[in-house]
Amino acid sequence: MKKGYFDKYGGVYVSETLMPAVQELEKAFNKCKNDKKFNNELNNLLKNYAGRPTPLSFCERLSKKLGCKIYLKREDLAHTGAHKINNALGQALLAKYMGKKRIIAETGAGQHGVAAATAAAKLGLECEIYMGTIDIERQKPNVFRMKLLSAKVNPVSSGGRTLKDAINEALRDWTANVKTTYYLLGSVLGPHPYPEMVAHFQSIIGKETRKQILAAEGKLPNAIIACVGGGSNAIGIFRAFLKDKDVDLIGVEAGGLGIESGKHAARFADQKLGRLGILHGTMTYVLQDKFGQIYNTHSISAGLDYSAVGPEHSHLRDLKRAAYTFATDKECLEAFKLLSEEEGIIPALESAHAVAYALKLAKKMNKEDIIVINLSGRGDKDIFEAARHLGVKV
Ligand SMILES: *Cc1c(COP(=O)(O)O)cnc(C)c1O
């Protein structure tokens, strides 16, 4: 396969001015990923700061109810409450090794902004976060968190004033300040080497899961389910199982109000709007209208709302190595409630999409079959949104 590509997907579709920055990054990443000192330092951070390994929890009550064995990979227990810290620490450390003093990042829901600001604070780096003004209004607690962590939040009022526009601004800043600045991108998106690099830093999820399920059950699971926004938590858990053809890998997109309604974030499932295209430097499936105008996404979980999906997912889908489906807002809320009630775990609304599909898949399983759900994050951040949708006053 051509370097930086996953078959026809991926690549480096950036302006000439950004090319040297992307190449410098690729060189540094290739050096550091095999460097003993770098890896020791990162592993120490993951263990003693982020709280890894995260547990693989057996869901006793839910399993009984559903009629097969359900396990959760507990990324909700990692520091800052989601898997995003794995990537943020990896890249922030890389920035330090590259001699960069300043980190910039984009954020939509604010989760990646918080993770990036956290890693920057821990490693003593300056941090600026680009965020659309609509998102700033919607995600006030995370904006305050970033500020507490001494990050500067730069409001973006161009375009749709959400994630896509924030990424455009971050890319612009990077182009202008390449010498001093490291762009810490939040998912398996963007130009090469980002999709490969973010997958590398997130692949710890799958490596741990593989060991943990073998220790607990003496065999691999029948299926692994993860929600897919950009796709980093999904790739993170999938990668360790790609060669195990008997393990079904399933990605769940945000189906919003339903594909027919046009209000969703399902790039694969929408056969009308989800088409091959280029967004933010990478070739992949992109939601767009018939004129190629990028289509804005809508779902109950802001963290799954992005117009494109990571290029490696497009490739895995073509290969039929992973299958992709979606859960609607309604199905997500039901799963959110069920996991809270049955297991005492309030999942992130993003992660609840994966739980929602597990509820369907379990019906086709036998008693001894095993499903692992990647619980990408905790739901404390979502309680007000969930209450609003459930019609509860808090
Ligand atoms: C950001 C986020 C996601 C979506 O991002 P991916 O790159 O698709 O993993 C999923 N779950 C949680 C909890 C998040 O914060």
Side-chain angles (χ1 to χ4, degrees):
M1 213 144 42
K2 215 169 115 196
K3 192 187 73 171
Y5 282 83
F6 305 92
D7 191 27
K8 64 176 176 269
Y9 308 104
V12 191
Y13 296 88
V14 299
S15 66
E16 232 170 294
T17 41
L18 210 52
M19 218 38 145
V22 173
Q23 284 167 348
E24 182 196 5
L25 177 61
E26 186 191 9
K27 227 171 108 191
F29 169 61
N30 283 335
K31 189 162 159 237
C32 282
K33 79 173 179 208
N34 298 315
D35 183 72
K36 213 166 153 195
K37 184 163 167 277
F38 179 88
N39 285 319
N40 283 342
E41 213 169 320
L42 179 57
N43 288 336
N44 182 51
L45 282 168
L46 290 171
K47 179 170 175 227
N48 297 310
Y49 183 68
R52 303 207 74 87
T54 58
L56 181 72
S57 303
F58 178 60
C59 298
E60 200 175 333
R61 297 188 60 213
L62 193 62
S63 298
K64 209 171 254 165
K65 191 171 178 118
L66 298 180
C68 70
K69 292 183 171 177
I70 308 278
Y71 281 86
L72 302 175
K73 179 59 174 164
R74 301 292 304 279
E75 293 303 294
D76 60 315
L77 293 179
H79 182 43
T80 69
H83 68 292
K84 287 198 169 80
I85 194 72
N86 307 325
N87 171 51
L89 284 172
Q91 287 199 56
L93 189 63
L94 180 61
K96 210 167 169 178
Y97 271 63
M98 290 172 76
K100 308 283 180 190
K101 305 259 182 288
R102 176 175 178 259
I103 279 181
I104 55 169
E106 82 294 342
T107 199
Q111 294 299 103
H112 175 55
V114 169
T118 299
K122 175 67 182 162
L123 296 176
L125 299 161
E126 231 182 280
C127 181
E128 287 185 40
I129 310 284
Y130 286 91
M131 189 169 189
T133 49
I134 290 184
D135 289 332
I136 286 179
E137 193 50 42
R138 279 194 294 207
Q139 313 289 345
K140 282 184 188 145
N142 275 340
V143 175
F144 182 58
R145 276 187 194 105
M146 288 180 250
K147 289 181 177 168
L148 268 179
L149 295 160
S150 84
K152 186 166 169 249
V153 180
N154 296 326
V156 176
S157 50
S158 55
R161 293 174 287 151
T162 58
L163 177 61
K164 172 167 63 69
D165 316 286
I167 298 179
N168 287 337
E169 279 312 312
L171 284 169
R172 224 164 272 152
D173 180 319
W174 197 29
T175 310
N177 301 294
V178 172
K179 278 235 158 60
T180 56
T181 298
Y182 182 97
Y183 179 20
L184 205 169
L185 205 149
S187 189
V188 285
L189 298 161
H192 178 71
Y194 285 106
E196 180 56 40
M197 179 164 67
V198 177
H200 173 80
F201 289 132
Q202 292 293 3
S203 63
I204 182 126
I205 304 173
K207 283 180 195 154
E208 288 175 6
T209 303
R210 201 169 204 290
K211 267 195 218 149
Q212 290 167 321
I213 195 70
L214 286 173
E217 293 281 347
K219 62 175 183 177
L220 295 178
N222 301 72
I224 295 179
I225 307 177
C227 64
V228 179
S232 68
N233 85 86
I235 289 289
I237 196 165
F238 287 176
R239 272 216 171 169
F241 299 90
L242 288 178
K243 292 202 183 102
D244 306 301
K245 294 288 156 64
D246 292 337
V247 180
D248 291 340
L249 306 175
I250 301 142
V252 186
E253 300 184 280
L257 295 177
I259 306 296
E260 332 58 61
S261 74
K263 297 220 178 282
H264 64 80
R267 291 74 30 119
F268 289 141
D270 190 325
Q271 308 205 339
K272 219 166 69 203
L273 297 172
R275 283 183 289 120
L276 192 62
I278 293 169
L279 184 63
H280 298 132
T282 194
M283 169 92 75
T284 186
Y285 274 78
V286 181
L287 280 176
Q288 53 196 311
D289 68 14
K290 63 181 176 198
F291 304 108
Q293 289 293 320
I294 304 302
Y295 193 86
N296 275 329
T297 53
H298 310 263
S299 83
I300 191 170
S301 57
L304 298 183
D305 272 356
Y306 179 63
S307 310
V309 59
E312 190 172 357
H313 286 291
S314 298
H315 181 48
L316 290 175
R317 181 170 176 258
D318 282 1
L319 293 175
K320 297 197 164 52
R321 180 58 196 100
Y324 295 83
T325 180
F326 64 90
T328 62
D329 288 352
K330 190 164 166 277
E331 291 166 335
C332 163
L333 273 172
E334 279 161 17
F336 177 85
K337 274 182 66 185
L338 187 70
L339 198 68
S340 304
E341 289 164 7
E342 296 290 327
E343 294 294 331
I345 297 170
I346 303 174
L349 285 172
E350 290 83 4
S351 323
H353 285 75
V355 179
Y357 183 69
L359 303 182
K360 287 186 191 168
L361 184 63
K363 296 198 176 112
K364 299 181 210 157
M365 295 283 195
N366 297 316
K367 198 160 164 272
E368 290 304 309
D369 289 346
I370 303 166
I371 297 176
V372 172
I373 303 168
N374 196 15
L375 205 75
S376 54
R378 67 172 180 235
D380 305 53
K381 67 182 177 60
D382 293 320
I383 52 171
F384 296 106
E385 181 72 1
R388 195 168 68 78
H389 282 270
L390 293 167
V392 180
K393 267 220 168 82
V394 283

